[in-house]
Amino acid sequence: MAEAENQEDEAFGITDRLVSEVMEAVDRNDGAFLTETLDTMHPADVAHLLEQIDTRERRALLTAWPGGLEGEVLSELDEELREEVIGQLNPGELADAVRDLESDDVVDLVEYLDDTQQEAVLDALDASDRVVVEQALSYPEESAGRHMQSELVRAPEHWTVGEAIDYMRSDVVLPDQFYHIILVDPRLKAIGYVTLGRVLSHPRDTPLRDITEDTFRTFHVEQDVEEVAQAINHYHMITAPVVDDDDRIVGVITIDDAMMFLEEEAEEDILRLAGVGEGSLSDRVIATTKRRFPWLAVNLVTAIFASLVISLFEETIAGLVALAVLMPIVASMGGNAGTQSLTVAVRALATRDLTTANVWRVIKREVLVGLINGLIFAVVMGIVGVVWFGSPMLGVVIAVAMVINMVVAGLAGTVIPVVLEKIGVDPALASGAFVTTVTDVVGFFAFLGLAAMWLL
Amino acid sequence: MAEAENQEDEAFGITDRLVSEVMEAVDRNDGAFLTETLDTMHPADVAHLLEQIDTRERRALLTAWPGGLEGEVLSELDEELREEVIGQLNPGELADAVRDLESDDVVDLVEYLDDTQQEAVLDALDASDRVVVEQALSYPEESAGRHMQSELVRAPEHWTVGEAIDYMRSDVVLPDQFYHIILVDPRLKAIGYVTLGRVLSHPRDTPLRDITEDTFRTFHVEQDVEEVAQAINHYHMITAPVVDDDDRIVGVITIDDAMMFLEEEAEEDILRLAGVGEGSLSDRVIATTKRRFPWLAVNLVTAIFASLVISLFEETIAGLVALAVLMPIVASMGGNAGTQSLTVAVRALATRDLTTANVWRVIKREVLVGLINGLIFAVVMGIVGVVWFGSPMLGVVIAVAMVINMVVAGLAGTVIPVVLEKIGVDPALASGAFVTTVTDVVGFFAFLGLAAMWLL
């Protein structure tokens, strides 16, 4: 592993050279090289490799690779590629692949598969695993119950360190990864947890309940899994216990899964702010085109709306064509200032930094920032207007329009996301269109309107 | 804690009501209420509360609160507020606050403080802690060495499970949080690690080296800490061992810190894409104005550049004012399509999904997506042009300009971030200005140029 790290001075991932070597081995049907290379790679790296080649190459690779892929590679794959890859495995290969996965990984794998493929995966599981997976699938999408790991270690509250160790050394099946022992009362209600570090560092006769963490908190099985992930991050938890209506422990969300959910959420926000929607780099042209179309359509409507405002002033522009030259500047500066404010507001809403307690202070700040930057750029553009077109009054018009539009940008950029959040619309998704409509309309209207009044 | 969860059906955080209650207690100088409420809250929640009130209120709260804040609250605070809050503590309070922090938390706390404040915090530490903190500060900013936790548990490679347990039960000081025992050879070179779960579930006479994880990998002390965090996420690691030039173990980066670094990185990308730069909701007006100014200045230059293009066609516009009405539509659609492509490219570069192995495929895809969406919107806008202005040729001009600009948007939106990354400029920061310049210039030039050729 140390070599891979040094090759390109990278902390992780695969090199382009490795991708070429693997594809050359596929071309000469060198099964031995593929087994030796791919079977020793981390499943996340194999998935990464599969994501970097195209459909034809993936098919050739999966055919030429004698061992075939492990289930964990499927879990690591982009959602969009899973169906394709699963479709290329025969039932026996699929069964081999999924049998060793933890229940939460199987759920992630199958939840968005079509019914036939989902059935094929479920059929490959042991009866008891299948029950667990079907139970998880019965919880709402995006809920803690859907994504929790049901494998966990619990102990009666009256146990000592020694009893816990003896239990774990017995032939009980333990989860691959666990960091806490969860204490339960006789009705399986979760009442606290002990880190493994504390179990290991205390004498055998220490009662577990004397060494529990004081930060223990539980999450309901129907809670949004992203909220649980945010709580894990906020409170620096490693294990988040998930309980049912009767406070009985039913599973855990672990920090490594929480990290993945938070990454997905941030990614989603970034892509939504840019009007891209979900999706990945491996998507096909048609899927990508379809996903980007709606946002462009919304933008076309708002752009036409702005054009209608301009058309109100056709005569003004005909009288002074310089206005047509300068008007995009006012709209563009407002649009950028508005995007700045709305991005800050959208992220602050997502991280709960923006609340009813401080919303007025933030709005006041954004308007003031818009005013100050507006004044500075008003002076600059006023001078540009005078120098370029030799008309002091034109300089005044563009300067005043600039101040108006940048103040409005600060106001709209904050108020619109807050209002959208209040009425239950995702502000990351919808704020951009509204804010730029406002700054375009106000920008063109202020500039051309003032010009009509003061210049002609 | 269950009550807090139900109050607003939230997974974490504090309610607006709590903020009001605390501030009312401050007004009536009710120290008992403050102690009872704040001392039992999680430090992350206290920090969150401090972030939601303003400077005057913070000062009043810190004065009225008899116990005063713990060091962990300082660690959890927004960087911008730390200086302010630390400035309000007297040396004794500051010393009490920082003494119990882990070394990596002290480093995070002091690294951006001014020299006087940094000195005051360092003076409050024990001599041995101070050495550790100063050592960490000697590593480059943003390096693994700067941010690692130096408290860790290591064991000679020949130890058994029993020896490890006896060692941990002895009066050795263990880290607050640890999840692995790291095996070292006689020269302290890290050679593997064992999860605590495995230690607990194996008989006392099991050699530790028989139960190590096969995914063990180490990171160099000068590696970028964000890369280490991405590797932790990619490989689902809980502990990332950090080694020096001789492969000797010097610390660990734990997953909860990695989660924080990844969140910060995603946040940074979002804010940079919007031209906001770093900063937080608690920043003052002047700081915020300054930070947003450069991006707006860049935008002004590019907007003026686009206006220069328009001014080339003043005569054309004077001949047909409808062109001034319609031209922002072409530029705006190109700008949006370009932003979509560049956002996908910037994120794919950040997550290493976009590499030399697949860059041509991605460029081809983006251009094709631009072409298809361009053709659809060309038809729509062609019709709008004809219906609105009654000129079929004007419809053709806007349609052709639309296709050209959206294809260019797909191309520029992918190529520009890739080139910026190659030459070592952060694509999240700089791509937006370049791409919208290209789409504005091409949009106005194509539309007005075609109009000049075909319409007049």
Side-chain angles (χ1 to χ4, degrees):
Chain A
M1 296 302 163
E3 300 91 87
E5 197 187 317
N6 293 332
Q7 257 178 341
E8 287 199 342
D9 196 25
E10 300 284 13
F12 71 101
I14 53 175
T15 61
D16 292 341
R17 213 182 70 199
L18 180 67
V19 179
S20 325
E21 282 171 4
V22 166
M23 291 320 298
E24 281 159 22
V26 170
D27 285 342
R28 61 173 191 270
N29 210 0
D30 185 346
F33 179 90
L34 292 177
T35 300
E36 189 193 330
T37 311
L38 300 176
D39 289 3
T40 56
M41 274 166 68
H42 192 287
D45 287 333
V46 178
H48 199 194
L49 190 152
L50 288 172
E51 286 161 8
Q52 300 210 7
I53 57 184
D54 65 25
T55 306
R56 198 188 47 76
E57 292 170 318
R58 268 192 296 276
R59 188 170 310 134
L61 171 56
L62 291 176
T63 312
W65 182 8
L69 47 76
E70 304 171 66
E72 280 166 31
V73 175
L74 289 177
S75 296
E76 300 281 352
L77 268 186
D78 270 354
E79 239 165 61
E80 289 72 18
L81 288 186
R82 282 186 198 159
E83 291 207 19
E84 179 197 311
V85 171
I86 290 178
Q88 280 169 37
L89 302 178
N90 62 46
E93 287 171 330
L94 185 60
D96 285 345
V98 300
R99 203 165 291 134
D100 295 330
L101 290 177
E102 302 266 318
S103 64
D104 58 329
D105 291 331
V106 178
V107 172
D108 287 346
L109 189 61
V110 303
E111 62 171 345
Y112 298 116
L113 291 183
D114 65 43
D115 288 350
T116 329
Q117 288 196 330
Q118 193 176 89
E119 199 53 40
V121 173
L122 292 180
D123 282 345
L125 299 173
D126 298 335
S128 65
D129 288 345
R130 182 176 177 136
V131 170
V132 173
V133 170
E134 285 178 339
Q135 169 70 31
L137 288 172
S138 74
Y139 292 114
E141 276 183 34
E142 309 289 320
S143 68
R146 174 75 74 105
H147 294 285
M148 69 193 178
Q149 174 184 318
S150 57
E151 294 87 354
L152 54 88
V153 179
R154 59 186 182 211
E157 53 185 329
H158 56 78
W159 273 15
T160 61
V161 164
E163 283 171 301
I165 292 180
D166 292 342
Y167 167 74
M168 284 187 278
R169 284 191 190 148
S170 69
D171 55 1
V172 64
V173 177
L174 295 172
D176 278 356
Q177 304 255 9
F178 67 106
Y179 315 103
H180 287 93
I181 297 174
I182 297 167
L183 298 191
V184 292
D185 73 6
R187 292 173 316 129
L188 292 184
K189 194 181 150 190
I191 55 162
Y193 58 22
V194 185
T195 67
L196 299 188
R198 288 206 180 177
V199 174
L200 277 168
S201 57
H202 284 81
R204 283 185 66 91
D205 56 4
T206 314
L208 290 178
R209 75 160 75 86
D210 290 356
I211 52 173
T212 55
E213 298 286 294
D214 51 12
T215 56
F216 182 73
R217 64 188 67 218
T218 59
F219 300 88
H220 190 263
V221 74
E222 293 199 350
Q223 183 109 36
D224 186 308
V225 72
E226 276 180 11
E227 299 226 331
V228 178
Q230 286 191 316
I232 286 176
N233 188 28
H234 185 75
Y235 295 122
H236 311 290
M237 303 170 79
I238 299 294
T239 309
V242 178
V243 297
D244 65 12
D245 288 335
D246 302 322
D247 275 342
R248 275 189 306 239
I249 181 87
V250 287
V252 290
I253 306 276
T254 50
I255 188 173
D256 53 321
D257 288 331
M259 199 163 176
M260 191 186 70
F261 291 120
L262 282 191
E263 274 283 285
E264 278 173 13
E265 195 200 357
E267 196 72 24
E268 215 175 81
D269 264 13
I270 295 178
L271 297 178
R272 285 184 175 176
L273 278 166
V276 185
E278 279 151 64
S280 80
L281 213 62
S282 348
D283 288 358
R284 311 296 180 72
V285 171
I286 296 302
T288 310
T289 308
K290 273 194 195 153
R291 211 165 29 238
R292 301 210 189 149
F293 181 86
W295 173 256
L296 292 171
V298 168
N299 181 61
L300 184 66
V301 173
T302 72
I304 291 177
F305 199 65
S307 290
L308 285 171
V309 173
I310 300 173
S311 73
L312 297 175
F313 299 94
E314 278 193 57
E315 277 176 49
T316 318
I317 294 171
L320 184 61
V321 179
L323 297 177
V325 174
L326 292 175
M327 68 183 187
I329 297 179
V330 179
S332 157
M333 292 297 284
N336 272 276
T339 303
Q340 292 180 332
S341 297
L342 91 83
T343 304
V344 171
V346 166
R347 284 309 295 174
L349 286 168
T351 56
R352 314 252 179 113
D353 289 330
L354 182 54
T355 62
T356 358
N358 61 2
V359 65
W360 288 109
R361 201 166 63 248
V362 173
I363 291 176
K364 207 174 75 186
R365 184 189 74 164
E366 293 297 317
V367 169
L368 273 174
V369 170
L371 180 65
I372 298 172
N373 271 329
L375 287 170
I376 298 171
F377 288 109
V379 172
V380 175
M381 269 317 294
I383 295 170
V384 170
V386 174
V387 173
W388 191 350
F389 294 96
S391 155
M393 208 53 211
L394 181 59
V396 172
V397 166
I398 195 165
V400 174
M402 185 80 87
V403 175
I404 292 173
N405 207 22
M406 288 186 67
V407 169
V408 168
L411 187 67
T414 314
V415 171
I416 288 175
V418 170
V419 170
L420 288 174
E421 169 101 352
K422 277 268 174 233
I423 61 174
V425 177
D426 179 359
L429 195 60
S431 300
F434 285 107
V435 172
T436 47
T437 305
V438 169
T439 54
D440 275 359
V441 166
V442 170
F444 290 132
F445 196 86
F447 179 63
L448 297 173
L450 291 172
M453 285 196 298
W454 295 346
L455 285 175
L456 297 179
Chain B
M1 293 306 160
E3 302 91 87
E5 196 188 316
N6 294 331
Q7 256 178 342
E8 288 200 341
D9 196 24
E10 300 284 11
F12 71 100
I14 53 176
T15 59
D16 292 340
R17 213 182 71 199
L18 180 67
V19 179
S20 326
E21 281 171 6
V22 166
M23 291 321 299
E24 281 160 21
V26 170
D27 286 343
R28 61 172 191 272
N29 208 3
D30 184 347
F33 178 89
L34 292 177
T35 300
E36 189 192 332
T37 309
L38 301 176
D39 289 2
T40 56
M41 272 166 70
H42 192 286
D45 287 333
V46 178
H48 199 195
L49 191 152
L50 288 171
E51 286 161 10
Q52 301 210 7
I53 56 183
D54 66 25
T55 305
R56 196 187 48 75
E57 292 171 317
R58 267 192 297 276
R59 187 169 311 134
L61 171 56
L62 291 176
T63 312
W65 182 7
L69 47 76
E70 306 170 66
E72 279 166 33
V73 175
L74 289 177
S75 294
E76 300 280 350
L77 267 186
D78 269 354
E79 239 163 59
E80 288 73 19
L81 288 186
R82 282 186 197 159
E83 292 207 16
E84 180 197 310
V85 171
I86 289 177
Q88 281 171 34
L89 302 178
N90 62 46
E93 286 172 331
L94 185 60
D96 284 346
V98 299
R99 202 165 291 133
D100 294 331
L101 290 178
E102 301 267 317
S103 65
D104 58 327
D105 290 331
V106 178
V107 172
D108 287 345
L109 188 61
V110 304
E111 63 171 345
Y112 297 117
L113 290 183
D114 65 42
D115 288 350
T116 330
Q117 289 196 330
Q118 194 176 89
E119 201 52 42
V121 173
L122 292 180
D123 282 345
L125 299 175
D126 297 337
S128 65
D129 288 345
R130 183 175 176 135
V131 170
V132 172
V133 170
E134 284 177 340
Q135 169 69 31
L137 288 172
S138 74
Y139 292 114
E141 277 184 31
E142 309 289 318
S143 68
R146 174 76 74 104
H147 294 287
M148 71 194 177
Q149 174 183 318
S150 56
E151 294 88 354
L152 54 87
V153 179
R154 59 186 182 211
E157 52 184 329
H158 57 77
W159 272 15
T160 61
V161 164
E163 284 171 300
I165 292 180
D166 292 342
Y167 167 75
M168 284 186 278
R169 282 191 190 146
S170 69
D171 55 2
V172 64
V173 178
L174 295 172
D176 278 356
Q177 304 256 8
F178 67 106
Y179 315 103
H180 287 94
I181 296 174
I182 296 168
L183 298 192
V184 292
D185 73 7
R187 294 173 316 127
L188 293 185
K189 193 179 152 195
I191 54 162
Y193 57 23
V194 185
T195 66
L196 300 188
R198 287 205 182 179
V199 175
L200 277 168
S201 57
H202 284 82
R204 283 185 66 91
D205 56 3
T206 314
L208 290 178
R209 78 160 73 85
D210 290 357
I211 53 173
T212 55
E213 297 287 293
D214 52 11
T215 56
F216 183 73
R217 64 188 67 217
T218 59
F219 300 88
H220 189 264
V221 74
E222 294 200 349
Q223 183 108 38
D224 186 307
V225 71
E226 276 180 12
E227 300 225 332
V228 178
Q230 286 190 318
I232 286 176
N233 189 27
H234 184 76
Y235 294 122
H236 311 290
M237 303 170 78
I238 299 295
T239 308
V242 179
V243 297
D244 65 12
D245 287 335
D246 301 322
D247 274 343
R248 273 189 308 239
I249 181 90
V250 288
V252 289
I253 306 274
T254 50
I255 188 173
D256 53 321
D257 288 331
M259 199 164 176
M260 193 188 70
F261 291 120
L262 282 192
E263 275 282 285
E264 278 174 12
E265 195 203 357
E267 196 72 22
E268 216 176 80
D269 264 13
I270 295 178
L271 297 178
R272 284 184 174 177
L273 279 166
V276 185
E278 278 150 65
S280 80
L281 213 62
S282 348
D283 288 357
R284 312 294 179 75
V285 171
I286 296 303
T288 309
T289 307
K290 273 194 197 153
R291 210 166 29 240
R292 299 207 191 154
F293 181 85
W295 174 255
L296 292 171
V298 169
N299 181 61
L300 184 66
V301 173
T302 73
I304 291 177
F305 199 66
S307 290
L308 285 171
V309 173
I310 300 173
S311 73
L312 299 176
F313 298 95
E314 278 193 55
E315 278 175 49
T316 317
I317 294 171
L320 185 62
V321 179
L323 297 177
V325 174
L326 292 175
M327 68 186 188
I329 296 179
V330 179
S332 156
M333 290 298 282
N336 272 276
T339 303
Q340 291 180 333
S341 296
L342 90 84
T343 304
V344 170
V346 166
R347 284 308 295 172
L349 286 168
T351 56
R352 313 254 179 111
D353 288 331
L354 181 54
T355 62
T356 355
N358 61 3
V359 65
W360 287 111
R361 200 166 63 248
V362 172
I363 291 175
K364 208 174 75 185
R365 184 189 74 165
E366 292 297 317
V367 169
L368 273 174
V369 170
L371 181 65
I372 299 172
N373 271 329
L375 287 170
I376 298 171
F377 288 109
V379 172
V380 175
M381 269 317 294
I383 296 170
V384 169
V386 174
V387 172
W388 192 349
F389 294 96
S391 156
M393 208 53 209
L394 181 59
V396 171
V397 167
I398 195 164
V400 175
M402 184 79 88
V403 174
I404 293 174
N405 206 20
M406 288 186 69
V407 169
V408 168
L411 187 67
T414 314
V415 171
I416 288 175
V418 170
V419 170
L420 289 173
E421 168 101 353
K422 277 270 172 227
I423 61 175
V425 178
D426 178 359
L429 195 59
S431 299
F434 285 106
V435 172
T436 47
T437 305
V438 169
T439 54
D440 275 359
V441 166
V442 170
F444 290 133
F445 196 86
F447 179 62
L448 297 173
L450 290 173
M453 285 197 297
W454 294 348
L455 285 174
L456 298 177

